[in-house]
Amino acid sequence: MKILVGVKRVVDYAVKVRVGADGVNLKNVKMSLNPFCEIAVEEAVKLKENKAANVSEVVALSVGPKQCQETLRTALAMGCDRGIHISTDLRTDYMELQSDAVAKLFQKVIEEKEKDIHLVLVGKQAIDSDCGQVGPALAGYMSWPQCTFASKVDLDGDGLLVERETDSGTETIKVPKLPAVVTCDLRLNTPRYATLPNIMKAKKKKVDTYKAEEFGVDLEVKNKVLEVYEPPSRKEGILVDDVDTLIDKLRNEASVIQ
Amino acid sequence: MSSSFLYKSKSLLSHCKLGRMHDKRTIPMRFIFQKNHASTLVIAEPSSSSSSSSEAMSSLMPATLSAISAAQKLHSGPITILSDKAIDTSSLPSAVTSVLHIGASSSGTPDKDKSLCGSLLVAENVSAHIQQAQTLYSFSHIIAPATKFGSNILPRAAAILGMSPITDIIEILSNDTFVRPIYAGNALAKVQATQNVKLLSVRTTAFEKAAVDGSPAATVINLMEEKQVPPPQTLTEFVKENVSSSDRPDLATANVVISGGRGIKSAENFALLESLADKLGGAVGASRAAVDAGYAPNDLQVGQTGKCVAPELYIACGISGAIQHLSGMKDSKTIVAINSDRDAPIFQVADYGLVDDLFKAVPELTRQL
């Protein structure tokens, strides 16, 4: 089985972003591997370590500026075998390069560069654009089965048994035959820390770079971002001393209880 | 949109050289229903499995009603629902003029119904029917609630139609301009769709539910009996669902939410929040930390990657207030925080903050109400 994992370089989850004239200000801001992509990498590496899965190779794919190579090195240090960097200076946080184009780039990689992919693992969403579209869009372009919000992935004959999160709990879906696209949710696994020896090994692993324009995909933005602004801020609140005061405020000031 | 349509028909009239210019029945039908007239398909949220799988005609879920009210803000053209089963026309808002369904019906046994329904509702099947509906009726807009159900299906349907969707919309400014949150809601993007079919998903807490005032003249069509029926899909198979059932109001639509975080310390202690919720007729929610620690099931999670809620009253107990949690509840009308840590970030968004041990404060609050 050959696995393709999507890894996105995004603003670190703990950063409080500032909104500027051209969108969110990313200068000198800490960037990291998207948490859901990290979970996708972990799942791919776990499958590789599972002899029953018979995984031949895990390839990590990242679309973005040259610093994506660092993101790829993290994925390689966690256990991916090879990396592919599709280079573009277009902003990938919803502003310029959007999900439809990214999914099409993934499709081109699968159809032209890595022709025998059996499983694509991506995060369920990126924490900058919050779109959650690349996984299902790729499955749509490829006419492949999709399992989004996966919280458990098990091998099942020639396919998979996937438990996925729904609005009312979870459901179990069977994929009779690969290839398929799986998007990874929060509770699928706990990603490992890359150990120092693995970080050193990762430096020697191969990373191929291609320019985004090489693939002949329409990269033009379909949904034009006209403006980015901060949401209205809440009125400042107060501290109350005790439960009695709280009840009084809720009853008589906020009028939310009887 | 409607004024430009009138303009078109006036210029067509002069071309047609018809005698009775005021009577539009003299205009051939193909000129009135031009391919690019505005019309919207709303993808209905399926009913929860605990209700109505054995009812042939069901009613619409709150998420669908919010999507319909969003649809009404797009344009004044007709609104069609896509549902798994037929809907009683008395259960429709008057704005809905037709229902397309994919033939889910009762077999008599609830378990078999759940399985049949589940198979019909997988993304591969629903997207294929969206494509069928689009081929038959050429909608200008296709809108889904931004629930896990809608978010699973919409991007696949858009890809099949060659479109790029806009998801999690919180404001509709015109038929092609919308506002959606990015960066966990710490920034808002005003975005304009440029393609001819707009596929959209809407955050249900941002749109009032459309009133169910009945649409007696609405047509109900079984897509399985129309042209272009997609072949049965074999890419995935529904196996089973694990649904937490509860008598409490649904988290996504409750007026009051009592939410617990890591400070709750155990699943048993969640009962404290449940008692308070029962006193206030509210739902129970949880932070990611609480769900990860096993104190609460995953469908109670509120946050950037859980549910987005906007109740009248949100009481956060033992929740520190991480960015990701705030993004799921900061639109609540009144926020109360109970936390023993004075420096917890939750106090920055709370309207009323009580720095106290929740194991003392919550029972006392419950007792006094």
Side-chain angles (χ1 to χ4, degrees):
Chain A
M1 201 205 292
K2 192 162 155 201
I3 302 178
L4 182 68
V5 185
V7 298
K8 189 177 182 188
R9 177 175 177 268
V10 298
V11 157
D12 185 82
Y13 79 95
V15 165
K16 230 180 159 188
V17 295
R18 298 247 114 83
V19 181
D22 311 312
V24 164
N25 186 3
L26 295 175
K27 285 198 178 71
N28 301 317
V29 162
K30 180 177 181 204
M31 306 292 278
S32 302
L33 172 55
N34 182 47
F36 296 105
C37 299
E38 206 179 1
I39 291 172
V41 170
E42 173 64 28
E43 197 63 17
V45 174
K46 268 174 59 182
L47 278 167
K48 195 173 121 186
E49 291 167 344
N50 177 359
K51 291 198 165 57
N54 201 9
V55 174
S56 55
E57 207 183 11
V58 177
V59 182
L61 169 59
S62 192
V63 181
K66 66 172 171 354
Q67 292 90 338
C68 286
Q69 308 241 357
E70 292 161 26
T71 316
L72 283 166
R73 292 289 163 203
T74 306
L76 295 170
M78 284 172 70
C80 295
D81 298 298
R82 252 194 312 123
I84 299 178
H85 171 215
I86 297 185
S87 150
T88 175
D89 285 323
L90 294 171
R91 279 181 77 143
T92 52
D93 62 341
Y94 197 66
M95 301 298 289
E96 292 173 339
L97 191 72
Q98 294 179 337
S99 310
D100 58 308
V102 172
K104 286 188 181 134
L105 287 169
F106 270 66
Q107 179 184 18
K108 286 288 182 177
V109 166
I110 294 169
E111 289 175 348
E112 292 172 12
K113 304 286 180 195
E114 308 284 334
K115 293 197 186 75
D116 44 354
I117 298 290
H118 298 100
L119 179 61
V120 176
L121 288 167
V122 291
K124 75 164 177 180
Q125 74 195 66
I127 62 170
D128 51 8
S129 52
D130 282 326
C131 286
Q133 290 165 211
V134 168
L138 176 61
Y141 292 137
M142 304 294 300
S143 299
W144 283 5
Q146 70 183 58
C147 299
T148 58
F149 315 121
S151 56
K152 197 160 189 294
V153 175
D154 287 314
L155 300 170
D156 184 63
D158 288 334
L160 301 172
L161 206 60
V162 178
E163 190 175 336
R164 50 181 300 271
E165 303 213 359
T166 63
D167 297 295
S168 47
T170 68
E171 67 179 16
T172 305
I173 299 279
K174 183 179 152 99
V175 174
K177 222 161 96 65
L178 296 176
V181 177
V182 172
T183 84
C184 304
D185 210 327
L186 214 49
R187 274 168 281 280
L188 179 57
N189 59 50
T190 306
R192 66 194 65 194
Y193 290 109
T195 62
L196 196 52
N198 283 333
I199 295 173
M200 299 310 292
K201 265 193 235 161
K203 295 191 185 190
K204 300 203 185 84
K205 293 182 180 177
K206 188 157 177 269
V207 174
D208 291 312
T209 302
Y210 306 100
K211 283 209 175 73
E213 294 73 26
E214 275 179 54
F215 292 96
V217 163
D218 182 3
L219 303 175
E220 180 131 356
V221 86
K222 307 291 181 305
N223 299 311
K224 287 202 175 80
V225 178
L226 304 175
E227 199 191 330
V228 176
Y229 52 97
E230 274 182 20
S233 50
R234 281 186 84 94
K235 204 171 111 245
E236 215 177 298
I238 56 165
L239 286 178
V240 297
D241 290 325
D242 50 36
V243 170
D244 292 326
T245 320
L246 175 62
I247 294 178
D248 174 57
K249 294 286 185 190
L250 289 177
R251 193 168 274 151
N252 302 315
E253 199 172 88
S255 308
V256 283
I257 59 172
Q258 247 108 37
Chain B
M1 210 57 197
S2 44
S3 57
S4 68
F5 164 66
L6 280 169
Y7 176 76
K8 275 191 181 117
S9 56
K10 278 198 187 116
S11 61
L12 281 167
L13 272 171
S14 58
H15 277 103
C16 292
K17 288 199 178 79
L18 295 161
R20 285 168 296 156
M21 306 262 261
H22 59 278
D23 184 351
K24 72 169 187 240
R25 278 176 301 170
T26 62
I27 303 171
M29 287 297 275
R30 69 181 184 279
F31 287 128
I32 294 179
F33 294 104
Q34 293 178 46
K35 246 196 173 166
N36 51 359
H37 81 283
S39 62
T40 298
L41 178 68
V42 174
I43 314 300
E45 180 80 5
S47 43
S48 62
S49 63
S50 53
S51 70
S52 75
S53 355
S54 51
E55 292 162 24
M57 304 276 250
S58 67
S59 54
L60 296 176
M61 293 294 280
T64 312
L65 295 173
S66 292
I68 291 168
S69 112
Q72 289 178 283
K73 293 179 157 60
L74 290 167
H75 55 69
S76 52
I79 296 175
T80 301
I81 303 282
L82 175 68
S83 172
D84 54 340
K85 47 173 95 75
I87 310 283
D88 204 278
T89 57
S90 60
S91 307
L92 295 171
S94 50
V96 175
T97 52
S98 52
V99 175
L100 305 172
H101 69 92
I102 55 182
S105 60
S106 167
S107 71
T109 32
D111 282 341
K112 196 164 177 214
D113 283 344
K114 271 182 212 175
S115 177
L116 281 171
C117 246
S119 304
L120 287 176
L121 293 169
V122 293
E124 293 82 357
N125 194 45
V126 180
S127 332
H129 281 292
I130 292 174
Q131 183 181 26
Q132 176 196 12
Q134 184 61 17
T135 306
L136 295 173
Y137 303 106
S138 301
F139 298 102
S140 58
H141 295 77
I142 299 175
I143 202 170
T147 53
K148 284 208 146 86
F149 173 76
S151 307
N152 182 30
I153 287 161
L154 196 81
R156 187 186 182 102
I160 292 171
L161 296 174
M163 300 292 152
S164 180
I166 300 178
T167 55
D168 205 22
I169 288 167
I170 59 170
E171 204 182 336
I172 292 176
L173 299 175
S174 73
N175 67 354
D176 70 356
T177 307
F178 316 100
V179 177
R180 70 178 296 276
I182 53 175
Y183 287 96
N186 289 302
L188 298 178
K190 187 197 294 191
V191 53
Q192 182 175 40
T194 61
Q195 296 177 300
N196 61 311
V197 184
K198 277 82 167 155
L199 282 104
L200 316 167
S201 75
V202 292
R203 186 178 281 199
T204 55
T205 52
F207 298 92
E208 291 284 308
K209 297 189 274 291
V212 178
D213 43 355
S215 187
T219 47
V220 180
I221 295 169
N222 186 345
L223 279 179
M224 300 304 285
E225 293 164 3
E226 298 297 296
K227 296 200 174 81
Q228 308 277 341
V229 177
Q233 72 85 26
T234 53
L235 295 175
T236 58
E237 288 166 24
F238 172 83
V239 175
K240 66 179 163 90
E241 63 178 349
N242 313 298
V243 164
S244 7
S245 59
S246 168
D247 293 326
R248 267 184 212 97
D250 180 50
L251 179 57
T253 54
N255 276 329
V256 177
V257 174
I258 318 294
S259 212
R262 195 194 304 274
I264 295 292
K265 299 209 171 91
S266 79
E268 291 74 41
N269 290 340
F270 244 78
L272 285 175
L273 304 182
E274 287 166 4
S275 307
L276 180 54
D278 289 340
K279 264 286 175 81
L280 290 169
V284 177
S287 71
R288 175 197 167 165
V291 175
D292 281 354
Y295 306 159
N298 68 295
D299 57 308
L300 295 190
Q301 182 172 326
V302 170
Q304 181 185 18
T305 73
K307 292 197 164 80
C308 239
V309 301
E312 294 293 315
L313 175 60
Y314 188 91
I315 304 183
C317 310
I319 292 179
S320 63
I323 295 171
Q324 292 75 20
H325 184 77
L326 296 187
S327 114
M329 44 65 77
K330 63 187 172 72
D331 292 331
S332 308
K333 313 290 179 306
T334 301
I335 297 174
V336 172
I338 302 175
N339 197 307
S340 52
D341 177 8
R342 180 175 290 275
D343 296 321
I346 191 86
F347 288 117
Q348 287 166 33
V349 297
D351 297 296
Y352 305 109
L354 179 58
V355 181
D356 199 358
D357 176 5
L358 72 94
F359 294 107
K360 278 184 28 239
V362 172
E364 200 191 327
L365 186 55
T366 311
R367 202 175 41 83
Q368 284 205 43
L369 281 169

